[in-house]
Amino acid sequence: NANVGDPSGRNDEGYRAIDLGFDVTFFGNTYSSLYINNNGNLSFGSGISAYEPQGPTGANAPLISAFFGDVDTRGAGSGVVHYQLDTAGQLVVTWDNVGYYDGNDDLLNAFQIVLRGDNFLIPTGEGSIGFFYKNMGWDDTETSDVAAAGFGDGAGNAVVIEGSTEPGLNTALANKSIWFNVNLEPVPPTSAVPEPATWAMMIAGFGLIGVTLRRRRRLTA
């Protein structure tokens, strides 16, 4: 688990707990720590080793998912997961050209989550949570042929990107970006929206994700 966030670390289903140093309110609850999960997401309250998305977001803990899929960084050609807390009130987690299960590195995904605290001064045209994508080579692994992107409260209620848990999500997200406000609504783009300066691979020229969001609620008997 400790390998997540270690530049030299490689793992399959690992996760790592970190203290944020700031508060984040998510689905009505406030948190000051979270887990970075190797499989493309952040969670609150517990780490997630699950690798196959189920339902809206596929987790039994509150979840922020840029690309919940079976990430596997053990291949020699795969990058690993990095995180940064250099800017006060902001966490940046980067899945840096990561491979997929089982140790495959012929196709790679590069994506990032930016999470900002409740007191962060949000620049115009940006938001509290950002999803950023570069090359997205895979969603089909040896365990699943879909991935999930969006937010869940751990009890089946979710806000998800259209196309989540459907084949081809990686293609829809490639070279796109989107900001969300505190209500998990997409922020309308401005004429010039700056990208986070902390993206290690210097992404540039991203467009806003050209998809809509939908809210899902799991019905129980």
Side-chain angles (χ1 to χ4, degrees):
N1 292 347
N3 282 345
V4 173
D6 181 346
S8 64
R10 298 187 181 279
N11 75 98
D12 185 19
E13 319 298 2
Y15 53 80
R16 178 172 183 164
I18 64 167
D19 291 322
L20 294 170
F22 56 86
D23 289 338
V24 172
T25 300
F26 186 69
F27 279 104
N29 295 308
T30 301
Y31 305 92
S32 59
S33 63
L34 53 69
Y35 290 81
I36 300 172
N37 304 305
N38 196 63
N39 286 328
N41 56 75
L42 311 178
S43 58
F44 299 96
S46 64
I48 296 174
S49 60
Y51 51 83
E52 186 174 358
Q54 302 285 336
T57 54
N60 56 6
L63 179 79
I64 298 172
S65 169
F67 196 80
F68 183 0
D70 200 353
V71 175
D72 187 340
T73 60
R74 294 174 297 173
S78 172
V80 295
V81 182
H82 307 272
Y83 75 92
Q84 296 178 354
L85 285 165
D86 298 346
T87 300
Q90 176 175 276
L91 168 69
V92 179
V93 183
T94 304
W95 285 261
D96 184 1
N97 285 303
V98 293
Y100 61 98
Y101 187 82
D102 181 16
N104 296 299
D105 57 12
D106 57 320
L107 301 171
L108 303 172
N109 285 352
F111 58 96
Q112 183 181 78
I113 297 175
V114 178
L115 176 64
R116 289 165 167 174
D118 293 342
N119 296 323
F120 194 93
L121 183 60
I122 305 296
T124 300
E126 298 186 15
S128 297
I129 301 174
F131 291 172
F132 297 85
Y133 304 88
K134 287 190 72 180
N135 57 284
M136 297 292 290
W138 62 265
D139 64 356
D140 190 356
T141 76
E142 294 182 24
T143 57
S144 175
D145 63 354
V146 298
F151 312 95
D153 69 352
N157 304 308
V159 178
V160 298
I161 290 178
E162 194 73 35
S164 181
T165 65
E166 297 176 6
L169 181 64
N170 62 312
T171 301
L173 296 178
N175 297 311
K176 304 294 195 304
S177 65
I178 189 169
W179 284 108
F180 301 88
N181 63 24
V182 293
N183 297 316
L184 305 182
E185 300 166 337
V187 176
T190 61
S191 57
V193 178
E195 304 297 344
T198 45
W199 177 263
M201 293 175 287
M202 300 299 289
I203 58 179
F206 274 22
L208 187 71
I209 292 174
V211 295
T212 58
L213 301 182
R214 64 184 186 273
R215 292 183 179 269
R216 292 179 174 176
R217 181 177 297 274
R218 183 174 60 195
L219 301 178
T220 56

